[in-house]
């Protein structure tokens, strides 16, 4: 018996493990693998409701339309508002003072982001978006009733500044909330296309505002605008705000936020049932705890977001806010010609932006951002040289180049930025990162550009400014992870039909089985080659 037991069998000897043997180890390993790579179930996949998605996109885009209607009006009326509210200054100083008031709104945007962003993560996206719509509409509408400098003196620019500060505070929660809302409603494979409609609303609003000012300039002339015509575009904000508020009040919360809220509620109930509140969890759920988590655990995503926002918004404000004034005050172009050139550029952006969004769904966000950054570095100088050439054709070509560069970033940002952060922190983190970057670099672009042109007497300052933004965008894109077609961080997959959900679940189970098999082979047979 002993000899028979010692007889070689030709098999590799099994090394016994302490605590239960090979069979127990294998069973434990299978359990760990199964838990680590749990496949999707149908309950994990959200099937979007198409009418709800359309309502979400429309309501979010309308808010951006209203915000940028005001920006378009202000950019085109910068010279006129300088004469109304700063009449004692020289023409150049009037423009700088007018843009300083414009930039003041961006100083308080981070404060608005700090308030509205974490609030949106705690009480819901829909409520905060309704509040920001009310504040934007009221403050913009109020500008139309302000008396000029000749009527009340220094109090006039102070009142204009107050209105701009309220606008800036409210917009601190607007764009980040709108992008979050659309991203959390959109199917994963169409997030780029649906998100691009948000910035479609941006440029439609700008085109409407600038188009209205162009018509008023042609009909009333400069004296009529300075006298009373400048008020009309701001008064239009009242009806637009009421329409936008009505649409936003009819919205429901996003599926991702609802799931996150339900999960948080279950965790609280379990904690209470276990014997009380966990102070660590309470701090994590509080506003201060969320802010700490954003800057300690997600600081890389914050920096990437700020870099991409800088790229987009420097280009955006250079084209939409500063270029009309640059062409008229610095280059001496006819105001109506300059306004028509920028308006035509905005129409090109509007017509192409959803195509860029759809392209980012197919090719990815990184290639679009990368190509746009490189092109901005290479083409900014030729574009400004064409704009300086005079006439109609060459400046139109230069504006077209800048418009096509702008649309690369505008059509991709709304789908890219929300995907950087998890659901429970998305609104707050995006609001903070977005508004800090916009305040420091985007909204100050007209002020810095006009000031540097005045200081250096160089008409190429806008080109150098754009090239610097392109370099920052290129570096940020290098660290950007591709998110096209993937679920948002902290959220499950989102599809358009039940059939797509079942196919996704089946594919997930197949892939989970393959991954588990590969890991099993590597762990149990490390000498095997694959």
């Amino acid at each position: 018996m002993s000899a028979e037991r010692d007889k070689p069998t030709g098999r590799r000897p099994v090394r016994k493990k302490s605590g239960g043997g090979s069979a127990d180890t294998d069973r434990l390993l299978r359990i760990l693998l199964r838990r680590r790579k749990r496949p999707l179930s149908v309950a994990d996949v959200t099937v979007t409701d198409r009418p709800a998605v359309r309502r979400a996109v429309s309501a979010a885009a309308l808010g951006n339309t209203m915000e940028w209607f005001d920006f378009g009006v202000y950019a085109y009326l910068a010279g006129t508002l300088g004469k109304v509210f700063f009449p004692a200054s020289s023409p150049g100083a009037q423009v700088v003072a007018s843009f300083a008031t414009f930039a003041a709104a961006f100083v308080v945007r981070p404060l608005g982001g700090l308030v509205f962003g974490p609030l949106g993560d705690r009480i819901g996206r829909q409520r905060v978006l309704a509040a920001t719509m009310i504040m934007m509409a009221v403050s913009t509408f109020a500008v139309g009733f302000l008396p000029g400098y000749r009527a009340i003196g220094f109090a006039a620019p102070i009142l204009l500044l107050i209105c701009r500060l309220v606008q800036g505070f409210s917009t601190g929660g607007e764009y980040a909330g709108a992008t979050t809302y659309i991203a959390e409603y959109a199917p994963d494979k169409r997030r780029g296309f649906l998100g691009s409609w948000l910035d479609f609303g941006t440029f439609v609003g700008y085109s409407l505002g600038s188009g209205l000012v162009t018509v008023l300039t042609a009909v009333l002339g400069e004296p009529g605008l300075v006298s009373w015509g400048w008020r009309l575009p701001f008064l239009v904000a009242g009806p637009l705000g009421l329409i936008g508020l009505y649409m936003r009040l009819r919205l429901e919360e996003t599926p991702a936020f609802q799931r996150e809220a339900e999960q948080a509620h279950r965790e609280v109930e379990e904690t209470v049932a276990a014997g009380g509140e966990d102070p660590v969890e309470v701090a994590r759920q509080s506003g201060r705890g969320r802010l700490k988590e954003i800057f300690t655990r997600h600081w890389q995503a914050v920096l990437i977001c700020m870099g991409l926002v800088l790229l987009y918004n420097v280009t955006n404000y250079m084209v939409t806010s500063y270029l009309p004034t640059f062409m008229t005050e610095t280059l001496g172009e006819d105001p109506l010609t300059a306004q028509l050139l920028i308006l035509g550029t905005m129409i090109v952006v509007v017509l192409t932006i959803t195509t860029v969004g759809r392209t980012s769904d197919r090719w990815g966000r990184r290639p679009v951002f990368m190509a746009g950054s490189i092109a901005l570095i290479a083409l900014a100088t030729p574009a400004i040289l064409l704009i300086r050439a005079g006439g109609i054709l060459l400046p139109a070509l230069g504006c077209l180049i800048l418009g096509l560069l702008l649309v690369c970033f505008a059509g991709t940002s709304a789908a890219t930025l929300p995907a950087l952060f998890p659901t429970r922190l998305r609104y707050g983190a995006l609001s903070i990162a977005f508004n800090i970057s916009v305040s420091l670099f985007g909204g100050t672009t007209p002020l810095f550009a006009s000031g540097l042109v005045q200081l250096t007497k160089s008409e190429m300052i806008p080109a150098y400014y754009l090239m610097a933004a392109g370099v920052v965008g290129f570096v940020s894109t290098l660290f950007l992870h591709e998110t096209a077609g993937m679920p948002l961080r902290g959220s499950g997959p989102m599809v358009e039909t039940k059939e797509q959900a079942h196919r996704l679940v089946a594919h997930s189970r197949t892939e989970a089985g393959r991954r588990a098999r590969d890991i099993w082979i590597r762990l149990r047979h490390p000498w095997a080659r694959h």
Side-chain angles (χ1 to χ4, degrees):
M1 292 291 295
S2 175
E4 186 176 347
R5 232 181 359 252
D6 294 337
K7 185 178 179 179
T9 61
R11 299 177 182 174
R12 183 182 298 270
V14 177
R15 183 174 297 174
K16 298 258 183 170
K17 305 274 183 169
S18 60
S22 178
D24 293 338
T25 302
D26 291 349
R27 185 166 56 255
L28 178 60
L29 189 56
R30 288 192 186 97
I31 293 172
L32 291 175
L33 286 171
R34 195 178 302 117
R35 288 180 178 176
R36 183 186 178 195
K37 298 295 182 181
R38 185 180 70 86
L40 290 173
S41 66
V42 175
D44 296 325
V45 182
T46 301
V47 179
T48 59
D49 178 49
R50 288 190 178 183
V53 172
R54 284 196 295 267
R55 287 195 302 269
V57 172
S58 300
L62 186 60
N64 250 31
T65 299
M66 162 136 188
E67 177 186 351
W68 278 87
F69 176 86
D70 169 58
F71 285 150
V73 167
Y74 202 97
Y76 270 48
L77 287 177
T80 301
L81 293 177
K83 294 180 176 65
V84 173
F85 291 96
F86 309 98
S89 306
S90 65
Q94 286 177 354
V95 172
V96 174
S98 183
F99 278 133
T101 307
F102 178 81
F106 292 86
V107 175
V108 297
R109 282 187 71 155
L111 180 60
L114 284 170
V115 172
F116 289 121
L119 191 64
D121 284 328
R122 296 178 68 184
I123 69 172
R125 287 74 160 109
Q126 184 266 343
R127 296 179 184 179
V128 174
L129 286 174
T132 58
M133 173 62 74
I134 295 173
M135 294 180 66
M136 279 196 306
V138 171
S139 56
T140 305
F141 188 61
V143 173
F145 292 98
L146 294 181
Y149 186 90
R150 289 186 174 87
I152 60 173
F154 191 67
I158 295 297
L159 290 176
L160 177 63
L161 178 63
I162 292 173
C163 289
R164 291 294 302 164
L165 292 177
V166 175
Q167 289 172 336
F169 184 79
S170 62
T171 54
E174 174 60 32
Y175 185 83
T179 55
T180 296
Y181 198 87
I182 291 180
E184 291 182 350
Y185 250 114
D188 296 332
K189 294 187 179 297
R190 301 187 69 208
R191 191 177 301 122
F193 172 69
L194 294 175
S196 66
W197 285 96
L198 180 66
D199 288 279
F200 175 88
T202 292
F203 294 103
V204 166
Y206 183 91
S207 299
L208 290 175
S210 57
L212 179 57
V213 174
T214 301
V215 171
L216 291 175
T217 302
V219 174
L220 301 178
E222 187 67 21
L225 279 180
V226 174
S227 177
W228 60 275
W230 65 271
R231 301 180 183 275
L232 295 179
F234 293 104
L235 296 179
V236 175
L240 279 178
L242 290 176
I243 296 171
L245 179 61
Y246 170 75
M247 293 183 66
R248 288 192 172 179
L249 289 176
R250 296 177 62 238
L251 294 176
E252 298 177 355
E253 275 302 341
T254 66
F257 179 81
Q258 289 178 354
R259 288 197 175 197
E260 184 67 29
E262 291 171 359
Q263 178 64 27
H265 183 68
R266 284 195 298 269
E267 290 177 357
V268 170
E269 288 183 341
E270 292 172 359
T271 303
V272 172
E277 293 185 341
D278 182 359
V280 176
E281 179 63 20
V282 171
R284 189 174 72 92
Q285 294 293 341
S286 67
R288 183 177 300 177
R290 290 171 187 268
L291 290 177
K292 182 179 179 180
E293 185 176 352
I294 289 170
F295 287 107
T296 56
R297 298 184 58 186
H298 303 282
W299 61 270
Q300 290 176 315
V302 168
L303 291 179
I304 293 171
C305 181
M306 290 179 63
L308 297 179
V309 170
L310 182 152
L311 172 68
Y312 173 23
N313 280 274
V314 166
T315 310
N316 189 9
Y317 288 106
M318 184 68 75
V319 175
T320 59
S321 298
Y322 179 63
L323 205 54
T325 305
F326 173 72
M327 295 173 70
T328 55
E329 302 295 331
T330 304
L331 302 181
E333 292 284 347
D334 176 67
L336 185 59
T337 301
Q339 291 173 358
L340 288 174
L341 286 174
I342 303 301
L343 181 58
T345 304
M346 292 302 100
I347 292 174
V348 171
V349 172
V350 168
L351 293 176
T352 56
I353 190 168
T354 56
T355 301
V356 173
R358 195 191 304 271
T359 300
S360 75
D361 283 328
R362 296 183 61 187
W363 294 356
R365 324 291 186 216
R366 292 185 78 242
V368 177
F369 267 113
M370 188 72 70
S373 301
I374 296 173
L376 184 63
I377 297 170
L379 298 178
T381 296
I384 297 300
L385 289 174
L386 289 170
I387 292 172
R388 290 179 55 198
I392 297 293
L393 183 59
L394 293 180
L397 181 58
C399 291
L400 177 62
I401 291 173
L402 293 181
L404 293 177
L405 293 172
L406 172 60
V407 80
C408 291
F409 317 130
T412 316
S413 292
T416 305
L417 302 180
L420 292 170
F421 305 102
T423 301
R424 63 177 301 273
L425 301 172
R426 183 170 296 124
Y427 197 158
L430 183 53
S431 292
I432 293 168
F434 182 88
N435 288 295
I436 289 176
S437 185
V438 170
S439 299
L440 292 178
F441 310 108
T444 57
T445 295
L447 174 63
F448 286 163
S450 60
L452 288 172
V453 168
Q454 291 283 327
L455 180 65
T456 63
K457 307 302 180 184
S458 172
E459 297 176 351
M460 294 304 297
I461 289 296
Y464 305 147
Y465 212 97
L466 290 171
M467 292 171 68
V471 172
V472 173
F474 178 80
V475 173
S476 301
T477 307
L478 290 177
F479 294 95
L480 178 67
H481 295 290
E482 186 56 70
T483 59
M486 302 178 184
L488 295 171
R489 290 183 61 185
S491 301
M494 298 189 68
V495 297
E496 295 183 87
T497 64
K498 292 182 179 180
E499 291 75 13
Q500 292 178 351
H502 287 294
R503 286 200 299 269
L504 187 61
V505 168
H507 178 73
S508 172
R509 290 174 178 172
T510 302
E511 290 299 314
R514 289 175 179 172
R515 288 194 298 266
R517 180 202 62 192
D518 292 341
I519 294 174
W520 173 266
I521 293 174
R522 287 188 177 92
L523 289 175
R524 300 301 300 170
H525 306 285
W527 57 85
R529 294 185 177 274
H530 304 284

